[in-house]
Amino acid sequence: MTQHDLDILASDQERYAAEERLRFAVEVGRLPLEQLASRLDEVHASRTRGDLEVACRGLPAPGPRDALVVDRAPTSGRFVAGIFGGFHRKGQWVVPPRMTFWSMWGGGKVDLTEARFSSQETRIRAVALWGGTKIFVPEDVEVDVRGFGLFGVFDKRAARRTGTPGRPRVVIKGLALFGAVVTRTGKH
């Protein structure tokens, strides 16, 4: 950042990002818990971006995949259906601990690659009856696929028993009857 950027007034979103940065630093052992309250006070009192940088001094900025499990409410319902139509979930959203995807004479795409999880383990039930659902999972999470295809396909190619340590686990169960549930790694 240039000196000019540091003099710009801080937004609420930038303060929230600084709070997350401090909490993450405590979580991974870079900042002692005893210092968290005083650093958060500095963040709340910050007027400029430079003040926020001072409050987060000595801490690396989190990478794009840090803090996958968050302490926030899910931003999607637990039941998503595509009946004679479709559904789509993608981008930055918070996944509930349990979800059901129902495709009947329709289809859906669910992209978890930019999502955050509200629980260390997420259980997804995917049912495709004469329809289809594609689920895109991040490369660094553990994925367990246990579905069954009856005159259909329940693809298990993205299943991985090991992910990066400390990362979330996604369990996908369900049924594909004259339809398909396909799980892929990476973005669509």
Side-chain angles (χ1 to χ4, degrees):
M1 273 192 206
T2 66
Q3 183 59 40
H4 175 71
D5 291 338
L6 295 175
D7 292 335
I8 293 175
L9 293 176
S11 69
D12 288 341
Q13 184 178 3
E14 289 167 326
R15 281 188 193 85
Y16 178 76
E19 289 174 4
E20 290 293 308
R21 186 173 168 185
L22 292 173
R23 287 186 181 98
F24 180 74
V26 169
E27 197 175 296
V28 298
R30 290 186 182 264
L31 181 68
L33 183 60
E34 304 81 48
Q35 292 182 17
L36 179 61
S38 63
R39 294 272 193 120
L40 285 172
D41 289 343
E42 287 181 53
V43 166
H44 296 148
S46 296
R47 292 192 60 241
T48 65
R49 289 178 176 173
D51 295 339
L52 288 177
E53 284 298 314
V54 169
C56 295
R57 66 193 168 276
L59 303 175
R65 297 290 298 159
D66 288 335
L68 288 178
V69 179
V70 294
D71 188 19
R72 292 195 301 247
T75 56
S76 177
R78 291 180 54 177
F79 183 78
V80 182
I83 300 174
F84 293 106
F87 60 86
H88 198 113
R89 296 286 186 278
K90 72 174 190 172
Q92 297 181 359
W93 58 294
V94 180
V95 182
R98 296 193 188 295
M99 281 193 90
T100 299
F101 303 131
W102 187 273
S103 300
M104 180 182 253
W105 292 294
K109 288 184 183 177
V110 179
D111 187 345
L112 301 173
T113 58
E114 293 181 36
R116 296 298 178 256
F117 300 88
S118 59
S119 176
Q120 192 65 32
E121 181 173 282
T122 300
R123 295 190 166 271
I124 295 173
R125 174 161 290 129
V127 178
L129 305 174
W130 294 279
T133 300
K134 283 188 177 180
I135 303 169
F136 297 89
V137 294
E139 294 181 7
D140 53 352
V141 301
E142 180 181 341
V143 180
D144 188 5
V145 182
R146 303 180 192 169
F148 177 72
L150 180 63
F151 301 110
V153 175
F154 210 102
D155 181 46
K156 299 178 182 182
R157 282 186 270 176
R160 286 184 309 285
R161 294 288 181 194
T162 58
T164 304
R167 297 295 181 167
R169 178 173 191 249
V170 177
V171 179
I172 301 169
K173 295 179 176 183
L175 171 69
L177 178 64
F178 296 104
V181 174
V182 176
T183 307
R184 294 282 186 261
T185 301
K187 290 185 173 212
H188 70 281

